[in-house]
Amino acid sequence: MTNTIQPSIQPAANPAGRSFNELPLSPDLLATLQQLEYLTMTPIQAASLPIALAGHDLIAQAKTGSGKTAAFALALLTNLNPRRFAVQAMVLCPTRELAEQVTQEIRRLARFADNIKVVALCGGTPMRPQINSLEHGAHIVVGTPGRMIDHLTRGSLNLDALNTLVLDEADRMLDMGFYDDIAYVASQCPSGRQTLLFSATYPEGIARLARQFLRNPQEVKLLEQHEEGKIRQRFYEVSHEARLQAVGALLKHYRPVSTLAFCNTKQQCRDLLEVLHKQGFHALTLHGDLEQRERDQVLIQFANNSCSVLVATDLAARGLDISQLEAVINVDVTPDPEIHIHRIGRTGRADQDGWALSLCSPADKRRVVAIAQMMGSEPEWHELGSLQNNHESALPPPMVTLQILGGRKEKIRPGDVLGALTGEAGFTREQVGKITVTELSTYVAVARDIASMAVRKLSAGKVKGKAVKVRRLDE
Ligand code: ADP
Ligand code: MG
């Protein structure tokens, strides 16, 4: 059965949405949702939760940022018995970052019952602490397929009591070549389990996975829809050779605080980065060759407003959950209109407006015709010459990220860093931005004008009673 939900009946006109109270959820869980201010279901939640809570296998397709995590988290938490000390749910994710985001979201939703243990099992981090956590009893494990296999073959992970298996971002896991790994993990799960598959797109591999590992799955598909006026889309014709320079002109004219610039290839990412740096922009790139630590640092700087432009390929940008994106720039128009719509859907989220700006060479103009057809709108063409090329500085980001050596391992918490900055160092709460604690480092965004002083004061003072090493990430 396929429930295809047409954009015309999306709650665009009816922002109130439907209440979680309609669902067979425990009162505690409903109270937690209330606390988190999840007042109404997102469309994918409204479409998939009744099916998942009724115990059916499910294939759910909806774009990034549509609330898929809570859709499966509420189902697996409902299946869970906290008094049973065994792994009852597993979520497979393509990358460590996504696994960590999912772990956080499940923990937030699970706080109604204080004894639910959620353990992240990802590659790129040591095995031993993971084995210890598993020995202490875990109810839910979230992680990458490779690391799950490591634990299964060592015998540190037992799936006999598993009742829910979730494949999150299944399309991306397939892109990354995890088919066989997923197949192995699924073969180790009890056959009576419920399987929930979530994906942003529906390539052929998904159907194959579903045939092999899901039982009579129900399908829910949410077509992409963009609310009128939220995304302002403009096209600029430019010669192929001039387009990298033109990105800087767009940035100087529109002056967005954060922009995601899409390139079609890794080489194009590198070239664009070089051009932007020459023009004085704070730009970073995300590609598959980065080490995990470098990737973390790029994402942290972009998310906390200390990097104005993130240059990425479609693959590298998939699954990123970045909330405040003022602009998306397409350095080339992609040949696939669906990818284009997916790209520009990353701006204009929630109640913010966003710019979708596309550079297009004369040869690619017919791609824009295909896009306009699919979106059912007339493309708006503008002249590059109409951009105001003000020569002032190239959009310095409002914040700077400081790296403090020492993280979760040293038991540093965000409050310790905030305390050090607003206490003895004498800064105000408003001058301090997002604080992110990772295993070995802590990153704190501070207002650009106090960055150097903050480095000096933190280095001279103490965090959690200890002297720390601090540096600016942008130097
Ligand atoms: P996806 O997995 O589809 O990319 P996420 O699960 O990461 O999306 O959710 C995107 C954001 O929406 C998250 O910040 C999440 O906290 C928020 N969110 C999810 N469901 C709701 C809801 N019902 N009401 C309000 N915010 C929600
Ligand atoms: Mg997700």
Side-chain angles (χ1 to χ4, degrees), residues 64-65 68-69 72 98 101-102 168-169 319:
T64 304
K68 296 191 286 292
T69 318
F72 62 72
L98 290 165
Q101 284 176 15
V102 167
D168 190 21
E169 307 248 1

Side-chain angles (χ1 to χ4, degrees), residues 78-396:
T78 300
N79 286 345
L80 197 93
N81 176 358
R83 286 183 301 279
R84 180 157 190 208
F85 293 99
V87 174
Q88 295 164 60
M90 176 193 278
V91 183
L92 292 180
C93 301
T95 65
R96 197 184 87 187
E97 280 127 34
L98 290 165
E100 274 170 8
Q101 284 176 15
V102 167
T103 305
Q104 296 305 332
E105 177 84 349
I106 298 178
R107 285 195 183 129
R108 292 198 311 151
L109 290 166
R111 64 184 179 208
F112 67 93
D114 39 24
N115 276 326
I116 297 184
K117 284 221 183 110
V118 191
V119 174
L121 301 176
C122 301
T125 51
M127 284 291 278
R128 192 68 242 172
Q130 297 180 355
I131 295 172
N132 288 344
S133 302
L134 289 169
E135 279 168 357
H136 281 93
H139 295 98
I140 303 166
V141 293
V142 181
T144 47
R147 184 51 66 97
M148 293 293 183
I149 294 179
D150 291 346
H151 283 288
L152 286 169
T153 47
R154 273 170 183 244
S156 41
L157 177 61
N158 181 314
L159 300 179
D160 293 347
L162 191 100
N163 55 37
T164 319
L165 171 65
V166 179
L167 309 179
D168 190 21
E169 307 248 1
D171 49 353
R172 187 154 176 229
M173 289 201 282
L174 296 183
D175 284 346
M176 294 172 74
F178 286 151
Y179 193 96
D180 294 340
D181 288 359
I182 297 170
Y184 178 80
V185 175
S187 73
Q188 301 299 301
C189 297
S191 56
R193 68 173 191 274
Q194 182 183 18
T195 308
L196 308 172
L197 183 156
F198 286 79
S199 192
T201 59
Y202 199 95
E204 156 55 27
I206 300 278
R208 203 174 127 216
L209 253 187
R211 277 197 302 275
Q212 211 174 342
F213 300 107
L214 275 64
R215 289 184 311 174
N216 305 323
Q218 303 210 7
E219 281 178 40
V220 167
K221 179 174 172 168
L222 231 79
L223 297 180
E224 295 256 358
Q225 52 108 25
H226 296 306
E227 289 158 43
E228 202 59 46
K230 273 180 74 183
I231 300 175
R232 287 167 293 177
Q233 176 158 225
R234 294 184 170 177
F235 293 90
Y236 290 85
E237 186 174 332
V238 60
S239 71
H240 191 68
E241 304 71 50
R243 71 206 195 296
L244 298 185
Q245 297 289 336
V247 173
L250 291 173
L251 291 168
K252 284 191 176 179
H253 177 86
Y254 289 95
R255 307 192 74 74
V257 173
S258 53
T259 302
L260 187 53
F262 281 104
C263 291
N264 289 346
T265 64
K266 273 195 260 180
Q267 182 57 43
Q268 196 182 39
C269 287
R270 281 191 285 267
D271 296 345
L272 176 60
L273 198 69
E274 200 184 314
V275 170
L276 290 175
H277 283 167
K278 281 209 184 109
Q279 296 176 337
F281 289 100
H282 288 68
L284 294 170
T285 182
L286 202 58
H287 55 73
D289 301 341
L290 293 182
E291 280 174 33
Q292 187 65 47
R293 188 180 46 86
E294 297 170 308
R295 213 181 135 80
D296 286 347
Q297 292 187 351
V298 168
L299 290 172
I300 287 167
Q301 290 179 85
F302 191 61
N304 72 17
N305 284 339
S306 40
C307 155
S308 325
V309 190
L310 185 61
V311 176
T313 57
D314 292 293
L315 190 61
R318 279 251 304 262
L320 290 183
D321 178 26
I322 302 163
S323 51
Q324 288 178 317
L325 209 50
E326 278 177 56
V328 165
I329 296 181
N330 294 305
V331 178
D332 279 312
V333 177
T334 81
D336 182 341
E338 251 188 87
I339 292 181
H340 179 90
I341 294 171
H342 198 67
R343 284 179 173 185
I344 69 170
R346 293 177 164 278
T347 183
R349 294 252 186 96
D351 47 5
Q352 296 151 11
D353 287 349
W355 287 110
L357 308 169
S358 303
L359 296 168
C360 180
S361 66
D364 291 340
K365 282 182 94 167
R366 59 204 150 78
R367 295 181 180 172
V368 177
V369 176
I371 289 167
Q373 251 164 19
M374 188 175 258
M375 297 190 75
S377 60
E378 276 298 307
E380 239 190 74
W381 288 94
H382 289 256
E383 296 290 325
L384 274 179
S386 68
L387 298 176
Q388 277 169 4
N389 196 359
N390 42 28
H391 292 282
E392 42 184 299
S393 68
L395 277 188

